[in-house]
Amino acid sequence: MAVDEGAVDLDLELDRAHSARMYDYFLGGTTNFPADRESAGKAMAAFPQVLVAARANRQFMHRSVRHLAQLGMRQFLDVGTGIPTSPNLHEIAQRTAPDARVVYTDNDPIVLTHAHALLRSSPEGRTAYSQCDARDPEALLASPEVRATLDMSRPVALSLIALLHFVPGDRTAHAVVERLKDALPPGSTLTVSHVTPDFDSAGLARALKAYEAAGTPVQARTREEFTRFFDGWELLDPGVTVTHRWRPDPEHDLTQVTDAEAACYGAVARKP
């Protein structure tokens, strides 16, 4: 799949903030615009540790993908990809497993214009991008890119990184996850990170108001609510923990990060 940026006729909605572009700003990226920076600034003023939380979350993604590749996973489905920030998921996976196959999905039209950065696969592997909304798992699973790239009869590593807090309503969010889980064969894995109010509920509530004021509803979830996403699956060590505490390594020195700064739970589970 190749994307001709000049040929993509999309309304990028640059006049309103988007969570993916705000996250890009928190990570120090350049694919963000005045509306995104204004809303991000309000979130930072309300909850200064949001920068630490975003970076701890990104590093959790790196470590979890590398660990799964080391365990033998060769197919990855990343839902809610966000703006490409190298190293991307496929780069991490293919460093360990050059033959890894990766499908990215997102509903932000600007991600599509940058999809070429997500498609630079190793020669042995493959990457694809699908413009899909996580709230419509049926369309996502039926997309041509998913069907052509992944063998759904073999284990798939599903990643929902910093996504589900943008799917408010427990019935909706958990229904989406259960549908995706049901579509995957035994041996598949589920990786989730999610913002939580468990450590600084007042500060986080102020930050979430900045998102809501920009038109993006957000729902933080407790440890119990987060853990429900993995019902019926076997949690890998160390189970549910704050993102910076999930299998830390010397590559990412997070020893000075507090739980309140990380503000997100992370976990990986396997389907029996």
Side-chain angles (χ1 to χ4, degrees):
M1 171 185 170
V3 176
D4 179 354
E5 294 188 23
V8 177
D9 183 17
L10 295 170
D11 179 7
L12 300 182
E13 300 182 333
L14 303 186
D15 58 335
R16 63 180 294 269
H18 192 285
S19 58
R21 299 193 292 262
M22 290 172 66
Y23 187 59
D24 175 74
Y25 179 74
F26 295 145
L27 293 176
T30 59
T31 308
N32 48 77
F33 301 90
D36 308 307
R37 294 190 285 271
E38 179 181 357
S39 293
K42 291 177 180 178
M44 291 166 59
F47 191 66
Q49 53 266 52
V50 68
L51 293 177
V52 176
R55 291 165 189 176
N57 179 77
R58 182 73 179 178
Q59 291 163 1
F60 164 73
M61 184 276 283
H62 290 171
R63 298 194 307 278
S64 61
V65 169
R66 183 171 62 243
H67 182 62
L68 290 174
Q70 291 169 345
L71 291 179
M73 298 301 293
R74 294 297 181 266
Q75 300 193 110
F76 294 81
L77 176 57
D78 183 41
V79 181
T81 297
I83 306 297
T85 303
S86 187
N88 293 302
L89 186 150
H90 73 278
E91 295 173 290
I92 298 295
Q94 291 176 351
R95 285 175 187 172
T96 298
D99 59 337
R101 302 167 75 86
V102 179
V103 177
Y104 293 101
T105 76
D106 203 284
N107 71 339
D108 181 1
I110 203 168
V111 179
L112 176 61
T113 72
H114 291 270
H116 62 282
L118 299 170
L119 302 175
R120 295 171 182 164
S121 174
S122 66
E124 302 92 335
R126 184 174 178 184
T127 67
Y129 177 79
S130 179
Q131 183 81 4
C132 293
D133 193 317
R135 293 167 295 186
D136 188 354
E138 298 296 341
L140 188 158
L141 292 166
S143 73
E145 295 82 9
V146 169
R147 295 169 65 90
T149 307
L150 303 180
D151 178 354
M152 299 300 282
S153 69
R154 297 174 52 239
V156 174
L158 171 64
S159 292
L160 305 171
I161 302 293
L163 170 70
L164 293 171
H165 41 247
F166 296 116
V167 184
D170 286 336
R171 288 188 178 181
T172 301
H174 286 90
V176 165
V177 174
E178 288 304 313
R179 177 64 187 95
L180 293 172
K181 288 163 62 179
D182 287 346
L184 302 181
S188 295
T189 60
L190 170 65
T191 303
V192 183
S193 65
H194 197 296
V195 70
T196 182
D198 286 354
F199 306 107
D200 183 0
S201 59
L204 186 64
R206 291 192 298 270
L208 300 190
K209 285 183 179 179
Y211 277 89
E212 291 166 359
T216 301
V218 187
Q219 181 175 339
R221 292 183 171 92
T222 64
R223 180 188 179 95
E224 180 181 2
E225 292 168 325
F226 174 79
T227 303
R228 280 184 53 209
F229 289 119
F230 302 96
D231 283 356
W233 291 35
E234 300 169 348
L235 286 164
L236 304 187
D237 288 338
V240 173
T241 187
V242 188
T243 48
H244 69 297
R245 299 186 186 279
W246 195 92
R247 304 184 68 87
D249 61 32
E251 181 181 344
H252 300 132
D253 183 9
L254 300 174
T255 55
Q256 302 304 312
V257 176
T258 68
D259 292 354
E261 288 173 326
C264 286
Y265 285 122
V268 181
R270 180 184 286 113
K271 186 171 186 175

